[in-house]
Amino acid sequence: MFAALGTWQLKRLQWKLDLIERIDQRVHAAPVAPPAPDKWAGVTAASDEYRKVRVSGKFLYELTTRVQTTTAKGIGFWLMTPLCTGDGTIVFINRGFVPMQSGDLARPAPPRAGAEPCAGAFGPAVEITGLLRMPEPKGRILRENDPANERWYVRDVPVIAQARNLPRAAPFFIDAPAGQEYPQDATEKPTGGLTVIAFPNNHLVYALTWFALAAMVAGGYYLVLRFERRKTRDQDDAQH
């Protein structure tokens, strides 16, 4: 059983190394267009997450959702803002991190979009080249969103889009890098480029541990057999 667990961890090690290599290639590849609406159903973390994409359009700043988070810069919020693209679809952009200020939790909720939200997109068009990210699921560490009370703890864009009445929003979002924080003349300027790409890889240690336990069991079994054989031999000698 221990040997089987060790072999399984070696397979997991190879899978993790392949994953790290695949993600590294995506991050450093030339940017491509994000998946079109007819491809949204097939977008997955395995095939698309951390892919570098480029999108242009106009922000709907008034529909920004502030998602609570903790980063290396402290406690604050991700600013998740819908971007209206040229074809009328909407992609949420994580414009970056802003630190929490007094009164932030008492801010009024953003409005719900109208029937044609992109018709109200004003201002200059922007271009974002960032990393495609999948919605964050809630878990034991991340708290569950509370849309009714405008409390957001995970970047679950389908739920955010529903709360903002944006049915044509993409099921993924894009992390904006440093230097592409819009609007650039805003008094509350977010910090972009804080995407953490880390994949714990302890599978080799686990494999060695399981194989060591297998060796200990095999060694202990050998010692028991050796002791039993010596005991039997001593009993035979005593009888003769």
Side-chain angles (χ1 to χ4, degrees), residues 19-29 50 197 199:
L19 172 65
I20 293 173
E21 181 181 4
R22 187 165 63 250
I23 297 303
D24 185 68
Q25 290 176 351
R26 292 178 189 173
V27 170
H28 295 95
Y50 298 109
I197 304 176
F199 300 95

Side-chain angles (χ1 to χ4, degrees), residues 2 25 46-47 51 98 104 115 120 124 131 183 195 208 211:
F2 288 141
Q25 290 176 351
S47 62
R51 191 178 302 282
V98 293
D104 278 346
L131 300 179
T195 307
L208 293 176
F211 285 133

Side-chain angles (χ1 to χ4, degrees), residues 98-149:
V98 293
M100 182 178 292
Q101 304 292 333
S102 176
D104 278 346
L105 297 180
R107 286 172 175 258
R112 286 174 59 84
E116 297 293 336
C118 289
F122 301 103
V126 301
E127 184 177 82
I128 300 293
T129 300
L131 300 179
L132 186 150
R133 302 293 308 279
M134 299 301 294
E136 294 175 331
K138 66 178 184 298
R140 291 179 297 176
I141 298 177
L142 299 176
R143 298 168 64 182
E144 186 174 357
N145 288 329
D146 182 7
N149 294 303

Side-chain angles (χ1 to χ4, degrees), residues 19-72:
L19 172 65
I20 293 173
E21 181 181 4
R22 187 165 63 250
I23 297 303
D24 185 68
Q25 290 176 351
R26 292 178 189 173
V27 170
H28 295 95
V32 298
D38 61 342
K39 305 292 185 182
W40 286 354
V43 175
T44 65
S47 62
D48 297 283
E49 188 152 34
Y50 298 109
R51 191 178 302 282
K52 186 178 288 186
V53 296
R54 177 179 291 142
V55 64
S56 60
K58 295 184 178 182
F59 278 116
L60 297 172
Y61 292 109
E62 70 278 9
L63 300 183
T64 296
T65 297
R66 303 166 73 89
V67 180
Q68 294 186 41
T69 187
T70 301
T71 71

